[in-house]
Amino acid sequence: MIAIIDYKAGNLTSVKLAFEALGANTSITSDPDVIRRAERVVFPGVGAAAAAMQNLIELGLIPIIKQTILNQIPFLGICLGTQIILDHSEEDGGVHTLGLIPGNVIRFQPQNPRDKVPHMGWNRIQKTQDHPLLANIPDQSEFYFVHSYYPTPHSRGNSFAETSYAGATFSAALGHNNIFATQFHPEKSGRIGLQLLENFLQWNPQGSS
Amino acid sequence: MLTRRIIPCLDIHNRKVTKGVKFQNNIELGDPVEMAARYYEDGCDELVFYDITASAERRPIDIDMVREVAHAVRIPFAVGGGIAGLPDMERVLLAGAEKISVNSLAVKNPQIINEGSRAFGAQCIVLGMDPLAVPDDPRFPSGYEITVRGFREHTGMDAIEWARKAVDLGVGEIVVNSVDADGTRAGFSIPLTRLIADAVPVPVVASGGAGNSQHLVDVFEQAHADAAIIAGMIHTGDYTVSGIKQELVQAGIPIRQHW
């Protein structure tokens, strides 16, 4: 079973439908016991970082997320879920986040007024390292993005693909051990996005690195 | 580089896709879920569904159809028409839509933009607007007046003023549907689209008038549109989404090419 963590940060229907299209058994849940029993964990989210952290605290989910990471359970972050995996976000005047991968989240500062924020739509990724979750995905493939802030991991070793927008080149896919996390939405990115989710279903992080 | 989005628009009447000129003489074109799946397979970047009669007949939105579309496609789609308030917005989003388009409702009650944006995020809330050219009328400094309810009612609101107000209220995107160009297949209104695109900090989707690939090139290059809606030109089979995209790539427009 795949646990899709529900921490009141946005609509999870399309995440669930995308995994169902691949034949996976999913549960949208905020129950620590269900998450503890899951074979794989998805940590999605849209919205604001401060409210999301507050919800995680109130729901008592932070210890179980950290335990999932320690237990080498395959863990997929998406969008806001990816941002709060890092140490700190500039959003809402500054928020300390989960610190599972070293790095910060900062806002787009477009110099050209034609570069609108949020960054919304299909943009290309350039692979910077191989990763099992990027298998069978051509370089320069387009994925669907919706975000105003972007992740900046401290180590290039944690970045697997980059995207450019509004004068910034940022990490669109991050990873560390059993964590893989995308700023884009694979669940809304057509067949290429499904390929990434299928790769996640097949992923055995202990065996691959 | 962020690509320009091509968005097929499906106007729904009694669960059939219809196409008319200026909301009149509607003819049935097919099943919305089948057509959505076909355009998805052919590489469209997003979809929009308008329940064109919901507003006039005060019927609620067809939530089963939204659910079926969500099962059939893996790209974002917006739903408009028949949204009466926050509970409807929530139902549509939970059924799998990415965005909600408000038009008449927002004119009547602008605070709904603010409420929806706070509840679900600005990226979910799209303002649809139907501006009509009214040149040389001092009441409308932009030269365009907002109309509602299928162009049947005038609002006395200036198009730029309304666009800016909607952004202040928290709208995440604006679809600018030219009343004058709608259904003509003679090209988008370049002046109107550019006027709004240059006036607001959110993405602008051009709508109304797409008849060939060059019209899309023009609206992206000259009017600064972030996305463009197409309807009749593909519904009739004269063009395909993939064919249009190929022509746009050849014209140097950044377009999503892997699907």
Side-chain angles (χ1 to χ4, degrees), chain A residues 11 13 17-18 114 116-117 119-124 140-142 144 146 165 188-191 194, chain B residues 1-4 40-41 45 71 74-76 93-94 98 123 173 197 200-202 224 255-258:
Chain A
N11 180 8
T13 308
L17 290 176
R114 291 218 36 214
K116 308 211 165 166
V117 176
H119 172 220
M120 178 158 72
W122 299 80
N123 204 336
R124 293 176 188 140
Q140 305 297 325
S141 289
E142 300 92 353
Y144 190 76
V146 188
Y165 184 68
K188 290 175 195 136
S189 294
R191 199 168 289 147
L194 285 180
Chain B
M1 185 178 220
L2 184 62
T3 59
R4 305 285 171 198
Y40 163 63
E41 294 293 335
D45 301 312
H71 275 94
R74 297 268 71 81
I75 52 173
L93 292 173
L94 287 177
E98 166 79 1
Q123 82 288 344
E173 182 167 74
V200 296
V202 300
H224 305 163
I255 291 290
R256 170 182 168 233
Q257 294 179 57
H258 303 81

Side-chain angles (χ1 to χ4, degrees), chain A residues 45-134:
Chain A
V46 293
M53 281 305 293
Q54 190 59 38
N55 291 345
L56 285 175
I57 292 166
E58 283 170 14
L59 291 164
L61 290 174
I62 293 176
I64 183 69
I65 288 171
K66 292 192 168 167
Q67 193 59 47
T68 300
I69 304 301
L70 287 174
N71 289 351
Q72 295 296 313
I73 303 293
F75 187 92
L76 177 65
I78 299 174
C79 196
L80 180 64
T82 292
Q83 297 186 355
I84 60 183
I85 282 171
L86 300 177
D87 295 312
H88 183 268
S89 171
E90 265 184 13
E91 199 172 359
D92 303 314
V95 189
H96 287 287
T97 46
L98 296 172
L100 303 173
I101 292 179
N104 296 320
V105 173
I106 59 179
R107 196 173 208 279
F108 284 114
Q109 301 285 357
Q111 301 302 307
N112 180 346
R114 291 218 36 214
D115 289 331
K116 308 211 165 166
V117 176
H119 172 220
M120 178 158 72
W122 299 80
N123 204 336
R124 293 176 188 140
I125 64 160
Q126 178 158 16
K127 294 195 210 178
T128 53
Q129 292 186 64
D130 282 334
H131 192 283
L133 265 73
L134 297 176

Side-chain angles (χ1 to χ4, degrees), chain B residues 11 40 75 85 109 137 157 162 192 194 196 202 218 220 234:
Chain B
D11 289 335
Y40 163 63
I75 52 173
N109 172 21
D137 184 333
M157 288 159 62
W162 176 224
L192 169 65
R194 183 169 177 153
I196 305 295
V202 300
D218 292 344
F220 290 136
I234 52 169

Side-chain angles (χ1 to χ4, degrees), chain A residues 15 38 179:
Chain A
V15 177
I179 303 173

Side-chain angles (χ1 to χ4, degrees), chain B residues 44-126:
Chain B
C44 75
D45 301 312
E46 200 170 312
L47 288 156
V48 59
F49 299 84
Y50 291 116
D51 186 343
I52 53 170
T53 59
S55 187
E57 298 171 8
R58 300 181 194 282
R59 280 192 292 105
I61 205 127
D62 184 346
I63 207 78
D64 288 335
M65 195 204 85
V66 178
R67 216 170 271 132
E68 284 179 44
V69 171
H71 275 94
V73 308
R74 297 268 71 81
I75 52 173
F77 65 94
V79 171
I83 306 275
L86 282 189
D88 279 347
M89 290 183 173
E90 185 167 21
R91 284 166 65 225
V92 167
L93 292 173
L94 287 177
E98 166 79 1
K99 303 176 182 180
I100 297 141
S101 181
V102 289
N103 188 326
S104 309
L105 175 67
V107 168
K108 203 168 67 182
N109 172 21
Q111 285 307 319
I112 193 70
I113 295 173
N114 191 261
E115 291 166 18
S117 186
R118 280 167 183 268
F120 311 114
Q123 82 288 344
C124 290
I125 310 298
V126 179

Side-chain angles (χ1 to χ4, degrees), chain B residues 117-169:
Chain B
S117 186
R118 280 167 183 268
F120 311 114
Q123 82 288 344
C124 290
I125 310 298
V126 179
L127 176 74
M129 55 159 65
D130 298 329
L132 171 74
V134 281
D136 308 320
D137 184 333
R139 290 178 302 157
F140 306 104
S142 72
Y144 295 91
E145 180 187 5
I146 299 296
T147 67
V148 289
R149 300 180 73 83
F151 314 159
R152 286 185 291 264
E153 285 177 23
H154 293 247
T155 64
M157 288 159 62
D158 180 76
I160 283 197
E161 223 171 280
W162 176 224
R164 290 193 171 133
K165 182 177 177 187
V167 169
D168 289 343
L169 286 165

